[in-house]
């Protein structure tokens, strides 16, 4: 049984179709279809039911998928174990935030590719919440405050941010001085998230309201500069605008607690060495930088 056929089947099962699996694997759809045909012929069972919308697992395919994924993972670990120290092979798929990933994390991933010329790195930049398991990513880099999940997180650096507004907004609506006053103001947010503030050593949680929402930090910066409300944003997105006077800090007596940058991976006993190497490289670059650019995502 060919390992590439197993990998291909797992990718098609997770992606829900031949086309997205081919994109993940970096091969043509015809190659994916041939591998699936050979695997099903060898097993003597149908693993996938092809439809106009993609491919759905049959009962046999659903059972076989978990076994195939474990076999592929074990072979990956075995390959890493016998490779020369420091050498990485295979593919690393990473999901990163769009707000600052291309400007901050992309150079770090490029350095990893330079150090490991036999490693294929595929990155996806998006501010949406990527499902690592369903979409077939090895890991993600996320910043801000992590939501509860069964994913495993490793902190790689600090994130500092502040509440900001434009001078025009403050002139029209005033500057809030307390958490209670902050809730009464127009908030610029990604969705319905809560904001946290520090009152000495105590953390206060408030739930602001606002009519302007965006899933991208850069878009929230633009809204704040336009005078639409108060935003909580990372320093990396606001420093230059504060320096120019386009934005000013507010609620300085109640700053938000420091957030973090994290490498997130699906649950498993041991992370793949390529993820460990990426994590160590991120720590090397990010830990000394107290104002890592980012977005609360």
């Amino acid at each position: 049984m060919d390992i590439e056929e197993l990998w291909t089947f797992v990718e098609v099962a997770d992606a829900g179709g031949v086309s997205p699996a081919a994109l993940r694997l970096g091969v043509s759809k015809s190659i994916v279809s041939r591998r699936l045909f050979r695997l099903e012929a060898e097993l003597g069972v149908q693993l996938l039911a092809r439809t106009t919308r993609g491919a759905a697992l049959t009962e046999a395919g659903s059972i076989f998928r978990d076994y195939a994924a474990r076999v592929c993972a074990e072979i990956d670990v075995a390959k890493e174990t016998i490779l020369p120290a420091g050498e990485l092979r295979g593919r690393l798929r990473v999901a990163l935030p769009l707000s600052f990933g291309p400007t901050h994390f992309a150079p770090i991933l490029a350095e990893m590719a330079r150090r490991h010329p036999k490693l294929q790195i595929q990155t996806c930049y998006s501010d949406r919440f990527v499902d690592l398991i369903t979409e077939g990513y090895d890991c993600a880099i996320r910043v801000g405050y992590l939501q509860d999940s069964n994913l495993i997180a490793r902190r790689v650096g600090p994130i500092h941010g502040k509440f900001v507004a434009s001078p025009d907004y403050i002139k029209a609506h005033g500057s809030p001085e307390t958490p209670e006053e902050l809730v009464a103001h127009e908030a610029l947010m990604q969705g319905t998230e809560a904001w946290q503030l520090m009152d000495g050593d105590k953390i206060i949680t408030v739930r602001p309201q606002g009519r302007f929402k965006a899933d991208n930090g850069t878009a929230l910066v633009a809204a704040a500069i336009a005078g639409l409300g108060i935003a909580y944003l990372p320093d990396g997105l606001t420093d230059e605008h504060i320096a120019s006077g386009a934005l000013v800090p507010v609620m300085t007596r109640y700053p938000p607690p420091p957030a973090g940058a994290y490498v997130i991976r699906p649950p498993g006993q041991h992370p793949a060495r390529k993820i460990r190497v990426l994590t160590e490289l991120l720590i090397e670059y990010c830990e000394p930088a107290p104002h890592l650019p980012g977005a609360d995502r």
Side-chain angles (χ1 to χ4, degrees), residues 137-249:
Y137 286 92
D138 296 295
C139 64
I141 300 173
R142 292 178 183 160
V143 301
Y145 305 105
L146 296 183
Q147 302 177 9
D148 291 335
S149 73
N150 65 338
L151 302 176
I152 298 173
R154 172 73 186 277
R155 187 180 183 276
V156 296
I159 297 287
H160 295 278
K162 55 177 63 75
F163 298 100
V164 297
S166 72
D168 287 343
Y169 178 86
I170 293 173
K171 183 178 179 179
H173 303 281
S175 180
E177 299 294 337
T178 67
E180 292 77 16
E181 292 179 8
L182 177 63
V183 174
H185 279 261
E186 191 75 20
L188 308 173
M189 303 182 294
Q190 293 187 355
T192 58
E193 70 270 18
W195 283 353
Q196 293 184 327
L197 307 89
M198 296 294 296
D199 183 5
D201 294 331
K202 180 183 177 183
I203 295 180
I204 300 173
T205 300
V206 300
R207 295 199 171 275
Q209 300 295 320
R211 66 185 179 87
F212 187 93
K213 301 181 188 296
D215 66 353
N216 178 271
T218 304
L220 293 176
V221 170
I225 292 173
L228 297 182
I230 295 173
Y232 163 47
L233 293 164
D235 291 345
L237 293 179
T238 61
D239 281 344
E240 65 175 296
H241 303 294
I242 291 174
S244 71
L247 294 174
V248 295

Side-chain angles (χ1 to χ4, degrees), residues 15-275:
V18 170
S19 295
L23 186 62
R24 289 186 185 184
L25 292 166
V27 300
S28 68
K29 292 187 289 185
S30 61
I31 290 177
V32 172
S33 296
R34 285 198 297 270
R35 289 176 182 173
L36 291 174
F37 177 80
R38 290 196 298 266
L39 180 61
E40 289 180 324
E42 182 173 353
L43 292 172
V45 296
Q46 183 179 3
L47 300 174
L48 293 157
R50 282 71 165 177
T51 69
T52 55
R53 294 185 177 182
L57 287 169
T58 63
E59 182 178 357
S62 181
I63 296 171
F64 187 70
R65 185 263 168 215
D66 292 337
Y67 286 102
R70 285 199 293 269
V71 169
C72 292
E74 288 296 328
I75 290 177
D76 255 4
V77 172
K79 285 181 178 179
E80 287 186 347
T81 302
I82 63 174
L83 285 174
E87 185 178 9
L88 295 178
R89 294 176 182 265
R91 185 191 62 180
L92 176 63
R93 297 188 78 233
V94 188
L96 305 100
L98 176 62
S99 297
F100 68 101
T103 56
H104 188 83
F105 290 128
I108 300 174
L109 285 160
E111 173 61 17
M112 184 174 180
R114 188 192 66 79
R115 295 186 187 184
H116 303 279
K118 295 182 180 180
L119 178 68
Q120 302 175 36
I121 297 180
Q122 298 178 6
T123 54
C124 171
Y125 294 92
S126 173
D127 282 330
R128 70 181 178 83
F129 195 86
V130 173
D131 187 323
L132 300 186
I133 298 173
T134 301
E135 300 183 46
Y137 286 92
D138 296 295
C139 64
I141 300 173
R142 292 178 183 160
V143 301
Y145 305 105
L146 296 183
Q147 302 177 9
D148 291 335
S149 73
N150 65 338
L151 302 176
I152 298 173
R154 172 73 186 277
R155 187 180 183 276
V156 296
I159 297 287
H160 295 278
K162 55 177 63 75
F163 298 100
V164 297
S166 72
D168 287 343
Y169 178 86
I170 293 173
K171 183 178 179 179
H173 303 281
S175 180
E177 299 294 337
T178 67
E180 292 77 16
E181 292 179 8
L182 177 63
V183 174
H185 279 261
E186 191 75 20
L188 308 173
M189 303 182 294
Q190 293 187 355
T192 58
E193 70 270 18
W195 283 353
Q196 293 184 327
L197 307 89
M198 296 294 296
D199 183 5
D201 294 331
K202 180 183 177 183
I203 295 180
I204 300 173
T205 300
V206 300
R207 295 199 171 275
Q209 300 295 320
R211 66 185 179 87
F212 187 93
K213 301 181 188 296
D215 66 353
N216 178 271
T218 304
L220 293 176
V221 170
I225 292 173
L228 297 182
I230 295 173
Y232 163 47
L233 293 164
D235 291 345
L237 293 179
T238 61
D239 281 344
E240 65 175 296
H241 303 294
I242 291 174
S244 71
L247 294 174
V248 295
V250 299
M251 294 293 296
T252 54
R253 289 178 52 198
Y254 298 89
Y262 300 86
V263 172
I264 311 295
R265 65 177 176 86
Q269 187 174 7
H270 301 291
R273 188 158 66 92
K274 57 192 175 185
I275 298 178

